[in-house]
Amino acid sequence: MCIRDSNRRSWDPDCLAKALSDPTRPTFLIGSVPPREGTSPTDASEICDKFIQRARCLANDGFIVYDIQDEASRTNEERPFPFRRTLDPVEYASLFPPLAGKSAVVYKAVNEPDDQSFDGWLDHAMDMHGHRTLNLVGSASSRDVQGIGIQGAAARVSERPGLAWGAVTIAERHTTKGNEHLNMLRKTGLGAKWFISQAVYDADATIQLLNDYGTECRRLGKKPAKVILTFAPCGRLKTLAFIKWLGIQVPHEVEQRISEKSAVSKQAGVDESMLVCRQALQSILDRTATSGVPLGVSVESVSGFKEEIEGAFVLFQQLQSIMLDAMVAPWGVNWFAVPRSVGSPPKIEDLEEGKSSLEQAVVVDKQALISSLNRTLEQCTLDELFVVSGMLGGVQFKHKRETHLDMR
């Protein structure tokens, strides 16, 4: 978390875009879906806070808030889970910074008919709610292509100073068409700073895409954009069917493994899918190490089932450890306590006061500040610990509680 001088905000909304664009370090995100349409503001805030409480001990750079669409044109097969409209992702994503001190990447399905309509949406997202990181998504099917499309939306976003955007990359398209790496280069040419993949269950498809992308970038003398690899636990056959309906390729042997374990118990199915994800990430890291493509990890739950939701938070820690061991070892973690009341968002005046004290203390005696902070941490309960990354430039605390990675 970065704190800047402001009467309106207590975090730097540009930090997440910088992390996503930085090729020297991995980026870690946790995905979330807005509550159903009609959820009251109070209930939405409570749902968001509960999600953040689960993520509080995780070393994530920020969050993803998805823009859920019907996507009925994707396939003729029946949707395993019925489509339900959600709250506006822009409005729901605006709850994360005051509760978590971290921004969210807001997914945007580009379906506006013209520039004026899309500009209105940008005003809503950026000016009214302060978002700085968007992920632009095109139509689910070529039959749905209409309006301004990704190219038009990218042009409108590029005219907004301080606004950064990324795009989706789909390894399955590379398997069938062989040109997804060229699509990625086309989108970076339009201004995309990063890519976020679909959920990965077929490591081979992702490996081929990353290596081809890296090779083409070297041939053209271009620097590849970071690719965030998405993973999602799956412990039920219905969830597995939904994953496949979304167009995610699941190899037969992987489907067999998860199916056999899910027959034993729901948790056994989730555990097996998490093992598949860990093995997939390790294979990707091993076999794309020379590609030159910077990577990150995102974890989401594609269902509302308890075992899969809880598994997503556990899987995040497991995948983060695998990636950091492979890419930046040795690595360490930090806690920093932010003055706040338990169960309520941090007050801007408290954060600004803490920032001022921090700056003065660093100038006078950084070591004394560290000692003071460690004494403060010893007096805190775990619920009172609030993570702030980046404020002390990698200083390691001696605190013995669970720790939080300071990637800055």
Side-chain angles (χ1 to χ4, degrees):
M1 169 179 164
C2 298
I3 297 177
R4 65 169 185 164
D5 292 324
S6 171
N7 293 323
R8 292 180 60 244
R9 304 173 75 92
S10 57
W11 83 103
D12 182 349
D14 298 319
C15 276
L16 182 53
K18 292 174 184 176
L20 284 161
S21 304
D22 185 353
T24 66
R25 48 151 291 189
T27 304
F28 299 98
L29 304 173
I30 303 173
S32 175
V33 173
R36 292 181 185 180
E37 187 178 60
T39 302
S40 71
T42 299
D43 288 345
S45 182
E46 290 178 356
I47 291 169
C48 184
D49 188 55
K50 183 177 180 180
F51 183 87
I52 289 169
Q53 291 294 338
R54 282 174 160 168
R56 192 170 299 287
C57 65
L58 303 180
N60 64 311
D61 292 283
F63 302 90
I64 295 174
V65 175
Y66 290 102
D67 186 2
I68 303 300
Q69 301 292 306
D70 189 2
E71 300 184 279
S73 63
R74 176 188 294 278
T75 175
N76 292 325
E77 296 181 10
E78 184 179 355
R79 203 178 201 272
F81 296 125
F83 172 68
R84 293 186 175 91
R85 296 189 181 279
T86 69
L87 295 180
D88 180 357
V90 167
E91 296 184 1
Y92 186 64
S94 69
L95 299 175
F96 282 83
L99 291 171
K102 302 174 186 178
S103 297
V105 177
V106 181
Y107 264 55
K108 169 56 180 171
V110 179
N111 51 24
E112 278 71 19
D114 51 44
D115 291 352
Q116 185 177 3
S117 299
F118 189 73
D119 284 344
W121 182 87
L122 286 177
D123 291 339
H124 175 59
M126 186 176 184
D127 298 337
M128 292 183 62
H129 292 283
H131 295 300
R132 298 290 186 271
T133 48
L134 309 177
N135 225 59
L136 302 181
V137 184
S139 302
S141 166
S142 58
R143 291 174 289 175
D144 295 335
V145 176
Q146 59 183 344
I148 66 171
I150 291 290
Q151 185 169 343
R156 306 310 296 169
V157 171
S158 297
E159 294 182 0
R160 303 274 180 135
L163 194 58
W165 69 280
V168 171
T169 185
I170 301 176
E172 287 79 359
R173 284 196 300 229
H174 198 61
T175 300
T176 57
K177 298 181 179 180
N179 65 348
E180 182 67 3
H181 62 310
L182 303 180
N183 288 333
M184 295 168 72
L185 282 161
R186 177 177 59 84
K187 290 174 182 177
T188 55
L190 295 174
K193 303 299 183 185
W194 64 82
F195 293 93
I196 301 178
S197 79
Q198 283 196 141
V200 176
Y201 269 95
D202 183 0
D204 289 342
T206 300
I207 290 165
Q208 186 65 54
L209 172 59
L210 293 175
N211 284 330
D212 287 351
Y213 177 52
T215 298
E216 188 67 10
C217 285
R218 286 194 299 274
R219 189 183 73 81
L220 297 173
K222 297 180 179 292
K223 293 182 179 179
K226 183 178 292 182
V227 177
I228 306 297
L229 303 172
T230 301
F231 297 88
C234 167
R236 298 177 183 233
L237 296 182
K238 192 170 185 178
T239 306
L240 189 59
F242 182 55
I243 285 175
K244 294 169 66 178
W245 184 89
L246 289 171
I248 297 167
Q249 187 170 315
V250 182
H252 175 72
E253 61 273 18
V254 170
E255 185 174 356
Q256 190 81 14
R257 286 172 57 182
I258 296 174
S259 296
E260 290 176 356
K261 291 295 184 178
S262 65
V264 176
S265 71
K266 299 167 187 174
Q267 188 59 54
V270 170
D271 292 343
E272 185 66 21
S273 74
M274 291 164 61
L275 175 58
V276 167
C277 291
R278 295 196 301 272
Q279 292 171 339
L281 177 59
Q282 188 64 65
S283 181
I284 291 168
L285 293 173
D286 291 343
R287 296 167 58 190
T288 65
T290 60
S291 70
V293 181
L295 300 174
V297 162
S298 172
V299 176
E300 62 171 326
S301 173
V302 299
S303 81
F305 297 128
K306 178 183 176 185
E307 297 87 0
E308 293 171 354
I309 293 173
E310 293 179 348
F313 293 97
V314 176
L315 181 62
F316 177 92
Q317 293 177 306
Q318 295 171 342
L319 297 180
Q320 184 176 64
S321 295
I322 290 171
M323 178 162 282
L324 291 175
D325 285 342
M327 300 178 67
V328 297
W331 52 279
V333 291
N334 285 350
W335 272 115
F336 186 83
V338 175
R340 66 171 295 188
S341 300
V342 177
S344 63
K347 296 179 180 178
I348 291 177
E349 57 267 28
D350 289 343
L351 290 168
E352 292 299 331
E353 180 181 352
K355 175 177 179 280
S356 176
S357 300
L358 173 66
E359 289 172 342
Q360 294 176 19
V362 170
V363 172
V364 177
D365 187 348
K366 180 182 284 189
Q367 196 58 48
L369 171 66
I370 296 170
S371 299
S372 174
L373 287 172
N374 279 319
R375 287 195 298 273
T376 301
L377 289 171
E378 290 296 340
Q379 298 169 4
C380 290
T381 66
L382 190 58
D383 287 340
E384 291 172 326
L385 290 172
F386 191 71
V387 176
V388 180
S389 62
M391 293 186 62
L392 289 177
V395 172
Q396 295 294 315
F397 297 111
K398 298 178 181 178
H399 194 248
K400 61 187 178 182
R401 294 184 187 277
E402 292 184 66
T403 50
H404 182 280
L405 178 68
D406 181 358
M407 292 298 299
R408 296 182 61 80

